[in-house]
Short mmCIF file of all heavy atoms in Angstrom, two decimals:
data_model
loop_
_atom_site.label_atom_id
_atom_site.label_comp_id
_atom_site.label_asym_id
_atom_site.label_seq_id
_atom_site.Cartn_x
_atom_site.Cartn_y
_atom_site.Cartn_z
N ARG A 18 67.94 95.01 120.89
CA ARG A 18 67.81 96.07 119.89
C ARG A 18 68.14 97.40 120.59
O ARG A 18 67.94 97.50 121.78
CB ARG A 18 66.37 95.88 119.26
CG ARG A 18 65.59 96.99 118.95
CD ARG A 18 64.19 96.54 118.49
NE ARG A 18 63.22 96.92 119.58
CZ ARG A 18 62.78 98.11 119.77
NH1 ARG A 18 63.20 99.10 118.95
NH2 ARG A 18 61.92 98.42 120.70
N GLY A 19 68.48 98.38 119.78
CA GLY A 19 68.75 99.70 120.30
C GLY A 19 68.19 100.71 119.39
O GLY A 19 68.08 100.53 118.18
N GLU A 20 67.92 101.91 119.99
CA GLU A 20 67.38 103.01 119.19
C GLU A 20 67.82 104.31 119.88
O GLU A 20 67.40 104.54 121.03
CB GLU A 20 65.87 102.87 119.07
CG GLU A 20 65.24 103.77 118.04
CD GLU A 20 63.81 103.72 118.00
OE1 GLU A 20 63.17 102.62 118.22
OE2 GLU A 20 63.13 104.76 117.85
N GLY A 21 68.67 105.05 119.24
CA GLY A 21 69.09 106.29 119.83
C GLY A 21 69.79 106.07 121.13
O GLY A 21 70.78 105.33 121.29
N MET A 22 69.20 106.69 122.23
CA MET A 22 69.77 106.60 123.61
C MET A 22 69.34 105.35 124.38
O MET A 22 69.72 105.25 125.54
CB MET A 22 69.31 107.85 124.35
CG MET A 22 69.92 109.16 123.89
SD MET A 22 71.69 109.25 124.18
CE MET A 22 71.74 108.92 125.92
N ARG A 23 68.55 104.53 123.79
CA ARG A 23 67.92 103.44 124.49
C ARG A 23 68.27 102.08 123.95
O ARG A 23 68.40 101.95 122.70
CB ARG A 23 66.44 103.62 124.67
CG ARG A 23 66.14 104.67 125.70
CD ARG A 23 64.74 105.25 125.60
NE ARG A 23 64.59 106.37 126.52
CZ ARG A 23 65.05 107.58 126.28
NH1 ARG A 23 65.68 107.86 125.12
NH2 ARG A 23 65.01 108.58 127.21
N VAL A 24 68.39 101.06 124.82
CA VAL A 24 68.53 99.68 124.38
C VAL A 24 67.36 98.88 124.98
O VAL A 24 66.85 99.29 126.06
CB VAL A 24 69.86 99.06 124.75
CG1 VAL A 24 71.00 99.66 123.92
CG2 VAL A 24 70.13 99.19 126.21
N PHE A 25 66.95 97.84 124.35
CA PHE A 25 65.74 97.04 124.76
C PHE A 25 66.06 95.55 124.93
O PHE A 25 66.82 94.96 124.12
CB PHE A 25 64.66 97.19 123.73
CG PHE A 25 64.26 98.61 123.47
CD1 PHE A 25 64.92 99.43 122.55
CD2 PHE A 25 63.16 99.15 124.18
CE1 PHE A 25 64.61 100.78 122.34
CE2 PHE A 25 62.85 100.54 123.98
CZ PHE A 25 63.55 101.31 123.09
N THR A 26 65.52 94.98 125.93
CA THR A 26 65.69 93.55 126.14
C THR A 26 64.67 92.87 125.19
O THR A 26 63.81 93.51 124.61
CB THR A 26 65.33 93.07 127.56
OG1 THR A 26 63.97 93.41 127.85
CG2 THR A 26 66.26 93.76 128.59
N ALA A 27 64.81 91.49 125.07
CA ALA A 27 63.89 90.74 124.25
C ALA A 27 62.44 90.89 124.69
O ALA A 27 61.51 90.80 123.93
CB ALA A 27 64.28 89.30 124.22
N GLU A 28 62.26 91.20 126.03
CA GLU A 28 60.90 91.39 126.60
C GLU A 28 60.43 92.79 126.37
O GLU A 28 59.37 93.15 126.77
CB GLU A 28 60.96 91.11 128.11
CG GLU A 28 61.12 89.61 128.44
CD GLU A 28 62.58 89.14 128.27
OE1 GLU A 28 63.50 89.90 128.56
OE2 GLU A 28 62.76 88.03 127.76
N GLY A 29 61.30 93.64 125.77
CA GLY A 29 60.85 95.00 125.41
C GLY A 29 61.12 96.03 126.48
O GLY A 29 60.65 97.15 126.47
N GLU A 30 61.85 95.60 127.56
CA GLU A 30 62.13 96.57 128.57
C GLU A 30 63.30 97.51 128.14
O GLU A 30 64.26 97.09 127.70
CB GLU A 30 62.70 95.83 129.84
CG GLU A 30 61.56 95.37 130.83
CD GLU A 30 62.17 94.87 132.11
OE1 GLU A 30 62.99 93.99 132.06
OE2 GLU A 30 61.72 95.40 133.17
N ALA A 31 62.99 98.83 128.39
CA ALA A 31 63.93 99.87 127.88
C ALA A 31 64.93 100.29 128.93
O ALA A 31 64.54 100.40 130.11
CB ALA A 31 63.11 101.07 127.41
N TYR A 32 66.14 100.41 128.56
CA TYR A 32 67.19 100.96 129.37
C TYR A 32 67.75 102.22 128.78
O TYR A 32 68.06 102.27 127.61
CB TYR A 32 68.31 99.93 129.66
CG TYR A 32 67.89 98.84 130.59
CD1 TYR A 32 67.00 97.82 130.18
CD2 TYR A 32 68.35 98.75 131.87
CE1 TYR A 32 66.61 96.81 130.97
CE2 TYR A 32 67.97 97.73 132.71
CZ TYR A 32 67.08 96.76 132.26
OH TYR A 32 66.72 95.80 133.14
N LEU A 33 67.97 103.25 129.61
CA LEU A 33 68.66 104.43 129.13
C LEU A 33 70.11 104.21 129.14
O LEU A 33 70.69 103.91 130.22
CB LEU A 33 68.24 105.66 130.01
CG LEU A 33 68.70 107.09 129.60
CD1 LEU A 33 68.22 107.46 128.24
CD2 LEU A 33 68.26 108.05 130.61
N ASP A 34 70.75 104.40 128.00
CA ASP A 34 72.16 103.98 127.90
C ASP A 34 73.11 105.16 128.22
O ASP A 34 73.47 105.91 127.26
CB ASP A 34 72.41 103.44 126.50
CG ASP A 34 73.80 102.80 126.36
OD1 ASP A 34 74.50 102.75 127.39
OD2 ASP A 34 74.12 102.24 125.30
N PHE A 35 73.61 105.18 129.38
CA PHE A 35 74.57 106.24 129.69
C PHE A 35 75.99 105.55 129.87
O PHE A 35 76.88 106.10 130.51
CB PHE A 35 74.24 107.04 131.01
CG PHE A 35 73.54 108.31 130.61
CD1 PHE A 35 72.44 108.38 129.82
CD2 PHE A 35 74.09 109.53 131.09
CE1 PHE A 35 71.82 109.53 129.48
CE2 PHE A 35 73.48 110.76 130.78
CZ PHE A 35 72.34 110.71 129.99
N GLY A 36 76.11 104.40 129.23
CA GLY A 36 77.43 103.67 129.21
C GLY A 36 78.02 103.73 127.78
O GLY A 36 79.19 103.72 127.60
N GLY A 37 77.02 103.72 126.83
CA GLY A 37 77.52 103.74 125.40
C GLY A 37 78.42 102.59 125.05
O GLY A 37 79.22 102.71 124.19
N GLY A 38 78.27 101.45 125.70
CA GLY A 38 79.12 100.29 125.42
C GLY A 38 80.56 100.64 125.68
O GLY A 38 81.42 100.30 124.85
N VAL A 39 80.82 101.47 126.78
CA VAL A 39 82.14 102.00 127.10
C VAL A 39 82.59 103.01 126.02
O VAL A 39 83.60 102.80 125.31
CB VAL A 39 83.22 100.96 127.40
CG1 VAL A 39 84.44 101.64 128.10
CG2 VAL A 39 82.72 99.81 128.26
N ALA A 40 81.82 104.07 125.83
CA ALA A 40 82.18 105.21 125.00
C ALA A 40 82.31 104.88 123.51
O ALA A 40 82.95 105.57 122.75
CB ALA A 40 83.46 105.86 125.51
N VAL A 41 81.63 103.85 123.09
CA VAL A 41 81.73 103.36 121.72
C VAL A 41 80.64 103.98 120.86
O VAL A 41 80.87 104.51 119.78
CB VAL A 41 81.73 101.80 121.70
CG1 VAL A 41 81.55 101.34 120.27
CG2 VAL A 41 83.07 101.31 122.20
N THR A 42 79.32 103.82 121.36
CA THR A 42 78.24 104.22 120.47
C THR A 42 78.09 105.73 120.48
O THR A 42 77.13 106.27 121.07
CB THR A 42 76.90 103.51 120.94
OG1 THR A 42 76.79 103.63 122.37
CG2 THR A 42 77.00 101.96 120.63
N SER A 43 79.01 106.39 119.88
CA SER A 43 79.06 107.85 119.80
C SER A 43 77.82 108.46 119.23
O SER A 43 77.38 109.54 119.61
CB SER A 43 80.31 108.30 119.12
OG SER A 43 80.42 107.63 117.89
N CYS A 44 77.26 107.79 118.28
CA CYS A 44 76.07 108.37 117.57
C CYS A 44 74.72 107.72 118.01
O CYS A 44 73.76 107.88 117.38
CB CYS A 44 76.22 108.18 116.04
SG CYS A 44 77.73 108.91 115.37
N GLY A 45 74.78 106.94 119.15
CA GLY A 45 73.67 106.28 119.61
C GLY A 45 73.43 104.99 118.82
O GLY A 45 74.23 104.60 118.03
N HIS A 46 72.35 104.27 119.17
CA HIS A 46 72.03 102.96 118.56
C HIS A 46 71.21 103.16 117.27
O HIS A 46 70.28 103.97 117.22
CB HIS A 46 71.30 102.15 119.55
CG HIS A 46 72.16 101.86 120.78
ND1 HIS A 46 73.09 100.83 120.84
CD2 HIS A 46 72.19 102.49 121.99
CE1 HIS A 46 73.69 100.84 122.01
NE2 HIS A 46 73.19 101.84 122.74
N ALA A 47 71.63 102.37 116.31
CA ALA A 47 70.88 102.32 114.98
C ALA A 47 70.68 103.68 114.40
O ALA A 47 69.60 104.02 113.88
CB ALA A 47 69.60 101.56 115.17
N HIS A 48 71.71 104.54 114.49
CA HIS A 48 71.62 105.89 113.86
C HIS A 48 71.34 105.76 112.39
O HIS A 48 72.07 105.05 111.70
CB HIS A 48 72.87 106.66 114.06
CG HIS A 48 72.80 108.07 113.72
ND1 HIS A 48 72.65 108.54 112.43
CD2 HIS A 48 72.86 109.17 114.42
CE1 HIS A 48 72.58 109.85 112.37
NE2 HIS A 48 72.70 110.29 113.64
N PRO A 49 70.23 106.34 111.85
CA PRO A 49 69.86 106.05 110.39
C PRO A 49 70.96 106.34 109.40
O PRO A 49 71.17 105.58 108.51
CB PRO A 49 68.71 107.09 110.24
CG PRO A 49 68.17 107.40 111.60
CD PRO A 49 69.29 107.24 112.56
N HIS A 50 71.77 107.34 109.70
CA HIS A 50 72.85 107.64 108.74
C HIS A 50 73.92 106.57 108.75
O HIS A 50 74.49 106.22 107.74
CB HIS A 50 73.43 109.05 109.00
CG HIS A 50 74.45 109.49 108.06
ND1 HIS A 50 74.19 109.75 106.76
CD2 HIS A 50 75.82 109.65 108.21
CE1 HIS A 50 75.27 110.07 106.10
NE2 HIS A 50 76.31 110.05 106.97
N LEU A 51 74.23 106.00 109.94
CA LEU A 51 75.22 104.97 110.03
C LEU A 51 74.73 103.62 109.48
O LEU A 51 75.38 102.94 108.77
CB LEU A 51 75.66 104.77 111.50
CG LEU A 51 76.82 105.60 112.01
CD1 LEU A 51 76.51 107.09 111.92
CD2 LEU A 51 77.21 105.23 113.46
N VAL A 52 73.47 103.35 109.72
CA VAL A 52 72.85 102.14 109.22
C VAL A 52 72.84 102.17 107.66
O VAL A 52 73.20 101.23 107.03
CB VAL A 52 71.38 102.02 109.76
CG1 VAL A 52 70.66 100.85 109.03
CG2 VAL A 52 71.37 101.78 111.22
N LYS A 53 72.52 103.34 107.13
CA LYS A 53 72.47 103.53 105.67
C LYS A 53 73.91 103.32 105.11
O LYS A 53 74.07 102.59 104.13
CB LYS A 53 71.97 104.97 105.31
CG LYS A 53 71.82 105.19 103.87
CD LYS A 53 70.89 106.45 103.65
CE LYS A 53 70.74 106.78 102.16
NZ LYS A 53 71.81 107.72 101.76
N ALA A 54 74.90 103.92 105.71
CA ALA A 54 76.28 103.80 105.23
C ALA A 54 76.70 102.35 105.27
O ALA A 54 77.35 101.87 104.36
CB ALA A 54 77.19 104.70 106.09
N LEU A 55 76.37 101.69 106.38
CA LEU A 55 76.80 100.26 106.52
C LEU A 55 76.11 99.41 105.50
O LEU A 55 76.80 98.58 104.90
CB LEU A 55 76.51 99.82 107.95
CG LEU A 55 76.98 98.31 108.22
CD1 LEU A 55 78.37 98.20 108.55
CD2 LEU A 55 76.10 97.80 109.36
N THR A 56 74.81 99.51 105.39
CA THR A 56 74.07 98.62 104.50
C THR A 56 74.41 98.89 103.03
O THR A 56 74.54 97.96 102.25
CB THR A 56 72.54 98.67 104.80
OG1 THR A 56 72.19 100.05 104.78
CG2 THR A 56 72.21 98.01 106.11
N GLU A 57 74.55 100.13 102.66
CA GLU A 57 74.94 100.44 101.27
C GLU A 57 76.26 99.91 100.94
O GLU A 57 76.49 99.30 99.87
CB GLU A 57 74.83 101.95 101.04
CG GLU A 57 73.43 102.38 100.82
CD GLU A 57 73.26 103.82 100.51
OE1 GLU A 57 74.28 104.57 100.43
OE2 GLU A 57 72.09 104.29 100.33
N GLN A 58 77.23 100.02 101.85
CA GLN A 58 78.59 99.46 101.60
C GLN A 58 78.52 97.97 101.66
O GLN A 58 79.20 97.34 100.79
CB GLN A 58 79.57 99.93 102.70
CG GLN A 58 80.98 99.50 102.40
CD GLN A 58 81.54 100.04 101.12
OE1 GLN A 58 81.40 101.23 100.79
NE2 GLN A 58 82.15 99.14 100.30
N ALA A 59 77.72 97.35 102.47
CA ALA A 59 77.58 95.88 102.59
C ALA A 59 77.14 95.33 101.27
O ALA A 59 77.56 94.16 100.93
CB ALA A 59 76.67 95.48 103.69
N LYS A 60 76.35 96.02 100.50
CA LYS A 60 75.87 95.55 99.23
C LYS A 60 76.92 95.68 98.15
O LYS A 60 76.87 94.94 97.12
CB LYS A 60 74.60 96.31 98.83
CG LYS A 60 73.34 95.91 99.52
CD LYS A 60 72.16 96.74 99.10
CE LYS A 60 71.17 96.91 100.29
NZ LYS A 60 70.39 98.11 100.17
N LYS A 61 77.91 96.56 98.36
CA LYS A 61 79.00 96.72 97.36
C LYS A 61 80.16 95.78 97.58
O LYS A 61 80.35 94.84 96.84
CB LYS A 61 79.50 98.17 97.40
CG LYS A 61 78.42 99.15 96.81
CD LYS A 61 79.12 100.52 96.70
CE LYS A 61 78.13 101.64 96.85
NZ LYS A 61 78.75 102.90 97.26
N ILE A 62 80.91 96.07 98.61
CA ILE A 62 82.12 95.18 98.91
C ILE A 62 82.54 95.40 100.34
O ILE A 62 82.53 96.50 100.87
CB ILE A 62 83.24 95.46 97.94
CG1 ILE A 62 84.28 94.36 97.97
CG2 ILE A 62 83.93 96.84 98.24
CD1 ILE A 62 85.23 94.30 96.77
N TRP A 63 82.75 94.21 101.06
CA TRP A 63 83.11 94.32 102.49
C TRP A 63 84.60 94.50 102.75
O TRP A 63 85.06 95.31 103.44
CB TRP A 63 82.72 93.07 103.22
CG TRP A 63 81.24 92.79 103.25
CD1 TRP A 63 80.31 93.38 102.42
CD2 TRP A 63 80.57 91.92 104.12
NE1 TRP A 63 79.05 92.83 102.76
CE2 TRP A 63 79.20 91.95 103.82
CE3 TRP A 63 81.03 91.04 105.13
CZ2 TRP A 63 78.29 91.18 104.47
CZ3 TRP A 63 80.04 90.23 105.82
CH2 TRP A 63 78.70 90.38 105.51
N HIS A 64 85.35 93.70 102.04
CA HIS A 64 86.75 93.59 102.22
C HIS A 64 87.49 93.45 100.99
O HIS A 64 87.05 92.71 100.08
CB HIS A 64 86.99 92.37 103.18
CG HIS A 64 88.43 92.22 103.56
ND1 HIS A 64 89.06 92.92 104.56
CD2 HIS A 64 89.40 91.43 102.98
CE1 HIS A 64 90.34 92.63 104.58
NE2 HIS A 64 90.56 91.70 103.66
N THR A 65 88.62 94.10 100.86
CA THR A 65 89.53 93.84 99.74
C THR A 65 90.84 93.43 100.36
O THR A 65 91.00 92.26 100.74
CB THR A 65 89.66 95.02 98.79
OG1 THR A 65 90.03 96.22 99.53
CG2 THR A 65 88.30 95.26 98.13
N SER A 66 91.73 94.43 100.62
CA SER A 66 92.98 94.14 101.37
C SER A 66 93.78 95.42 101.23
O SER A 66 93.63 96.25 100.34
CB SER A 66 93.79 93.00 100.73
OG SER A 66 95.15 93.08 101.31
N ASN A 67 94.62 95.61 102.25
CA ASN A 67 95.55 96.81 102.24
C ASN A 67 96.62 96.63 101.15
O ASN A 67 97.44 97.55 101.01
CB ASN A 67 96.14 96.98 103.60
CG ASN A 67 95.13 97.67 104.53
OD1 ASN A 67 94.51 98.73 104.15
ND2 ASN A 67 94.91 97.17 105.72
N ILE A 68 96.58 95.54 100.42
CA ILE A 68 97.56 95.48 99.26
C ILE A 68 96.96 96.19 98.06
O ILE A 68 97.62 96.33 97.06
CB ILE A 68 97.89 93.99 98.91
CG1 ILE A 68 96.67 93.20 98.47
CG2 ILE A 68 98.67 93.37 100.08
CD1 ILE A 68 97.03 91.78 98.06
N TYR A 69 95.72 96.68 98.17
CA TYR A 69 95.10 97.49 97.08
C TYR A 69 94.77 98.88 97.52
O TYR A 69 94.78 99.11 98.78
CB TYR A 69 93.76 96.82 96.56
CG TYR A 69 93.97 95.38 96.23
CD1 TYR A 69 93.31 94.40 96.95
CD2 TYR A 69 94.74 94.99 95.11
CE1 TYR A 69 93.49 93.03 96.63
CE2 TYR A 69 94.93 93.70 94.81
CZ TYR A 69 94.26 92.68 95.52
OH TYR A 69 94.42 91.37 95.19
N GLN A 70 94.54 99.77 96.60
CA GLN A 70 94.03 101.11 96.97
C GLN A 70 92.65 101.00 97.64
O GLN A 70 91.85 100.09 97.20
CB GLN A 70 93.91 101.99 95.77
CG GLN A 70 95.16 102.10 94.91
CD GLN A 70 96.24 102.96 95.55
OE1 GLN A 70 95.94 104.01 96.11
NE2 GLN A 70 97.46 102.48 95.57
N MET A 71 92.39 101.82 98.60
CA MET A 71 91.02 101.82 99.24
C MET A 71 90.52 103.25 99.36
O MET A 71 90.87 103.96 100.24
CB MET A 71 91.16 101.14 100.61
CG MET A 71 91.21 99.61 100.47
SD MET A 71 90.62 98.89 102.01
CE MET A 71 92.10 98.09 102.54
N PRO A 72 89.64 103.62 98.43
CA PRO A 72 89.19 104.99 98.36
C PRO A 72 88.44 105.46 99.70
O PRO A 72 88.70 106.55 100.09
CB PRO A 72 88.15 104.97 97.17
CG PRO A 72 88.56 103.84 96.39
CD PRO A 72 89.10 102.77 97.32
N GLY A 73 87.67 104.62 100.28
CA GLY A 73 86.93 104.93 101.48
C GLY A 73 87.92 105.16 102.63
O GLY A 73 87.73 106.10 103.38
N GLN A 74 89.02 104.38 102.69
CA GLN A 74 90.00 104.53 103.70
C GLN A 74 90.77 105.90 103.49
O GLN A 74 91.03 106.58 104.46
CB GLN A 74 90.97 103.34 103.65
CG GLN A 74 91.95 103.29 104.79
CD GLN A 74 92.94 102.16 104.67
OE1 GLN A 74 94.09 102.42 104.40
NE2 GLN A 74 92.56 100.92 104.77
N GLU A 75 91.14 106.18 102.23
CA GLU A 75 91.85 107.36 101.93
C GLU A 75 90.97 108.57 102.33
O GLU A 75 91.52 109.58 102.83
CB GLU A 75 92.15 107.40 100.47
CG GLU A 75 93.53 106.77 100.16
CD GLU A 75 93.72 106.57 98.70
OE1 GLU A 75 93.49 107.46 97.88
OE2 GLU A 75 94.19 105.42 98.31
N LYS A 76 89.69 108.51 102.03
CA LYS A 76 88.77 109.58 102.33
C LYS A 76 88.73 109.87 103.86
O LYS A 76 88.88 110.96 104.32
CB LYS A 76 87.43 109.24 101.84
CG LYS A 76 86.35 110.39 102.06
CD LYS A 76 85.06 110.02 101.47
CE LYS A 76 83.94 110.98 101.96
NZ LYS A 76 82.61 110.51 101.71
N LEU A 77 88.64 108.77 104.60
CA LEU A 77 88.57 108.91 106.10
C LEU A 77 89.91 109.47 106.62
O LEU A 77 89.87 110.33 107.48
CB LEU A 77 88.25 107.54 106.73
CG LEU A 77 88.07 107.54 108.21
CD1 LEU A 77 86.99 108.53 108.69
CD2 LEU A 77 87.69 106.18 108.77
N ALA A 78 90.98 108.98 106.12
CA ALA A 78 92.29 109.50 106.53
C ALA A 78 92.40 111.00 106.20
O ALA A 78 92.81 111.81 107.04
CB ALA A 78 93.41 108.76 105.84
N GLN A 79 92.02 111.38 104.98
CA GLN A 79 92.03 112.73 104.57
C GLN A 79 91.25 113.68 105.51
O GLN A 79 91.65 114.73 105.88
CB GLN A 79 91.58 112.86 103.16
CG GLN A 79 91.97 114.22 102.44
CD GLN A 79 93.44 114.39 102.35
OE1 GLN A 79 94.18 113.49 102.01
NE2 GLN A 79 93.94 115.55 102.72
N ARG A 80 90.06 113.21 105.87
CA ARG A 80 89.13 113.99 106.70
C ARG A 80 89.78 114.13 108.11
O ARG A 80 89.64 115.19 108.79
CB ARG A 80 87.79 113.32 106.80
CG ARG A 80 87.05 113.40 105.49
CD ARG A 80 85.76 112.63 105.48
NE ARG A 80 84.68 113.33 106.17
CZ ARG A 80 83.54 112.83 106.45
NH1 ARG A 80 83.21 111.62 106.12
NH2 ARG A 80 82.62 113.59 107.05
N LEU A 81 90.39 113.02 108.60
CA LEU A 81 90.98 113.06 109.92
C LEU A 81 92.13 114.07 109.94
O LEU A 81 92.39 114.79 110.93
CB LEU A 81 91.44 111.69 110.38
CG LEU A 81 90.29 110.74 110.77
CD1 LEU A 81 90.81 109.31 110.92
CD2 LEU A 81 89.64 111.17 112.11
N ILE A 82 92.95 114.04 108.87
CA ILE A 82 94.04 114.90 108.70
C ILE A 82 93.59 116.38 108.73
O ILE A 82 94.12 117.22 109.44
CB ILE A 82 94.85 114.61 107.42
CG1 ILE A 82 95.59 113.27 107.61
CG2 ILE A 82 95.74 115.69 107.04
CD1 ILE A 82 96.08 112.67 106.28
N GLU A 83 92.52 116.69 107.91
CA GLU A 83 92.00 118.03 107.90
C GLU A 83 91.49 118.52 109.20
O GLU A 83 91.53 119.73 109.46
CB GLU A 83 90.94 118.12 106.72
CG GLU A 83 91.60 118.37 105.40
CD GLU A 83 90.62 118.02 104.29
OE1 GLU A 83 89.38 118.08 104.49
OE2 GLU A 83 91.14 117.62 103.13
N ALA A 84 90.98 117.63 110.03
CA ALA A 84 90.35 118.05 111.24
C ALA A 84 91.25 117.98 112.45
O ALA A 84 90.91 118.35 113.58
CB ALA A 84 89.11 117.17 111.54
N THR A 85 92.54 117.47 112.28
CA THR A 85 93.43 117.37 113.41
C THR A 85 94.88 117.83 113.01
O THR A 85 95.14 118.35 111.98
CB THR A 85 93.63 115.88 113.83
OG1 THR A 85 94.27 115.18 112.77
CG2 THR A 85 92.30 115.24 114.09
N PHE A 86 95.81 117.58 114.01
CA PHE A 86 97.22 117.88 113.83
C PHE A 86 97.87 116.94 112.84
O PHE A 86 99.06 117.21 112.44
CB PHE A 86 97.89 117.71 115.23
CG PHE A 86 97.99 116.25 115.57
CD1 PHE A 86 99.15 115.56 115.29
CD2 PHE A 86 96.96 115.55 116.09
CE1 PHE A 86 99.27 114.17 115.58
CE2 PHE A 86 97.02 114.18 116.38
CZ PHE A 86 98.17 113.49 116.09
N ALA A 87 97.29 115.83 112.49
CA ALA A 87 97.93 114.74 111.87
C ALA A 87 98.22 114.99 110.39
O ALA A 87 97.50 115.72 109.71
CB ALA A 87 97.14 113.43 112.03
#
Side-chain angles (χ1 to χ4, degrees):
R18 144 186 107 74
E20 195 184 320
M22 289 294 303
R23 282 161 189 81
V24 289
F25 302 86
T26 62
E28 290 74 41
E30 271 191 308
Y32 286 74
L33 184 59
D34 189 1
F35 263 56
V39 195
V41 167
T42 47
S43 48
C44 303
H46 298 276
H48 190 292
H50 185 64
L51 271 60
V52 172
K53 184 163 178 274
L55 180 80
T56 49
E57 281 182 1
Q58 185 61 46
K60 284 178 211 156
K61 287 188 207 157
I62 195 161
W63 296 18
H64 180 81
T65 55
S66 166
N67 281 310
I68 62 177
Y69 307 113
Q70 304 290 314
M71 284 204 241
Q74 189 185 109
E75 273 168 44
K76 181 179 168 191
L77 183 56
Q79 197 60 47
R80 293 175 77 186
L81 287 169
I82 288 165
E83 275 162 25
T85 68
F86 72 96

